[in-house]
Amino acid sequence: MIRDWNGRDIPSATSKGGVIVFVDPLDNLISTNIHPWPTHEVIKKHDQNSRLSDFDDENRVLATKKLGYSCYLQSINSEDALTWSVFGTVSYHDAQTKTVWVNDFFNLLGLSNCSPKHPSIFLWRRFPHAETLVPGGSEVDFGIITEDTILFGEAKWKSGLDTKQGINKDKDQIQMRAEFLEKYIQKISPNTKNKIVLYLTLSGEPYPHLDSCPNVLIKNCKWDDVCDLKSHPLSEEVKLYLMWKKQHSG
């Protein structure tokens, strides 16, 4: 049992390595004023993982009690849980709320030339592969599209970048997203003037290959700054959630 960011006791298990997982994956997510709940994005993330060997017998029973299997969304270290709780929640609010928040988010990133008008905020979409154009390329964690801007976000918490992507396994996740935007987005969407890839991490560490795609702007940012935006419709809960996650993550 663990107390969540709102002071509610929720059932949990612990792996052999000391990582907290929740019996119900939904207990790991902000859901305030989100209807219907769970959303299709959240349902999508209930795929089975292969980590049951990480638990002793007692905790394995707890970890599978709700679903009959375990999924990554149960883990306190889940990047997807954090991504939903910040970007997913704002995406389900009205257009004016989203526009104000996107404007503040762009300003946080130094993107004052990017219009926040008519924003679409999405999670966990796959675009064509940057090198082959086959469907089902690597998953974009979150994205924002406005009348003149497209931003792809790569969200990290405790893990690092996957550096073995692409045909020859010699590119990382940021490079693959930037390459797709550089090669194809102007042909697909001629009104898109601004092409951005955001590397979002706990520390705000800079991305090391900023010149890999000259026509795509690569930015970095840390979770604390994003979660501190007061225009988020659940701003106080988001800040509590981030503090809770940092306190309990292993």
Side-chain angles (χ1 to χ4, degrees):
M1 192 75 70
I2 185 175
R3 185 158 292 183
D4 76 2
W5 60 97
N6 288 318
R8 182 173 63 100
D9 289 331
I10 52 177
S12 63
T14 306
S15 74
K16 296 174 185 176
V19 176
I20 297 168
V21 300
F22 302 100
V23 173
D24 186 344
L26 300 183
D27 285 336
N28 199 17
L29 310 172
I30 293 177
S31 60
T32 303
N33 297 329
I34 305 299
H35 306 287
W37 179 253
T39 69
H40 68 92
E41 298 97 337
V42 170
I43 292 171
K44 173 186 176 181
K45 284 296 178 176
H46 278 68
D47 48 318
Q48 184 175 6
N49 66 25
S50 57
R51 304 300 297 268
L52 286 181
S53 61
D54 292 352
F55 300 93
D56 61 29
D57 291 344
E58 180 181 355
N59 282 281
R60 189 179 303 118
V61 170
L62 286 171
T64 58
K65 183 177 181 180
K66 169 72 175 182
L67 301 175
Y69 63 90
S70 66
C71 70
Y72 287 115
L73 201 60
Q74 291 172 265
S75 173
I76 188 69
N77 290 333
S78 170
E79 295 159 353
D80 290 335
L82 179 56
T83 300
W84 160 264
S85 294
V86 179
F87 294 92
T89 52
V90 74
S91 76
Y92 273 79
H93 282 75
D94 63 90
Q96 179 61 26
T97 298
K98 288 189 289 187
T99 300
V100 171
W101 181 83
V102 168
N103 182 66
D104 289 349
F105 182 60
F106 282 173
N107 286 333
L108 171 67
L109 301 177
L111 304 174
S112 57
N113 62 317
C114 296
S115 171
K117 293 182 179 179
H118 311 298
S120 172
I121 303 170
F122 60 86
L123 272 63
W124 308 316
R125 299 287 179 84
R126 294 188 183 275
F127 292 82
H129 192 283
E131 294 173 323
T132 65
L133 290 182
V134 299
S138 57
E139 186 178 74
V140 174
D141 292 330
F142 64 90
I144 299 173
I145 298 175
T146 71
E147 62 181 6
D148 67 0
T149 299
I150 183 167
L151 179 148
F152 284 172
E154 180 61 34
K156 295 297 181 186
W157 184 247
K158 293 291 186 176
S159 63
L161 283 173
D162 180 355
T163 59
K164 295 184 178 181
Q165 295 201 348
I167 295 174
N168 297 318
K169 307 298 181 184
D170 58 352
K171 297 176 182 177
D172 64 41
Q173 292 166 292
I174 302 294
Q175 288 172 304
M176 291 298 289
R177 284 143 185 71
E179 191 172 316
F180 173 77
L181 293 177
E182 184 171 57
K183 286 181 176 179
Y184 303 113
I185 204 64
Q186 209 66 49
K187 298 175 183 178
I188 298 169
S189 177
N191 292 327
T192 300
K193 300 176 183 178
N194 308 298
K195 302 177 285 292
I196 302 146
V197 178
L198 175 62
Y199 183 36
L200 179 57
T201 63
L202 179 57
S203 66
E205 62 193 75
Y207 177 69
H209 309 296
L210 292 176
D211 57 350
S212 56
C213 290
N215 296 315
V216 176
L217 181 62
I218 299 176
K219 303 287 287 186
N220 63 280
C221 189
K222 60 182 180 178
W223 280 108
D224 289 87
D225 293 334
V226 176
C227 293
D228 200 41
L229 291 175
K230 292 180 172 54
S231 54
H232 192 290
L234 302 173
S235 60
E236 292 304 315
E237 186 171 5
V238 164
K239 286 190 287 186
L240 289 173
Y241 178 86
L242 181 66
M243 289 191 296
W244 170 83
K245 192 173 183 72
K246 290 197 289 186
Q247 178 184 356
H248 294 287
S249 290

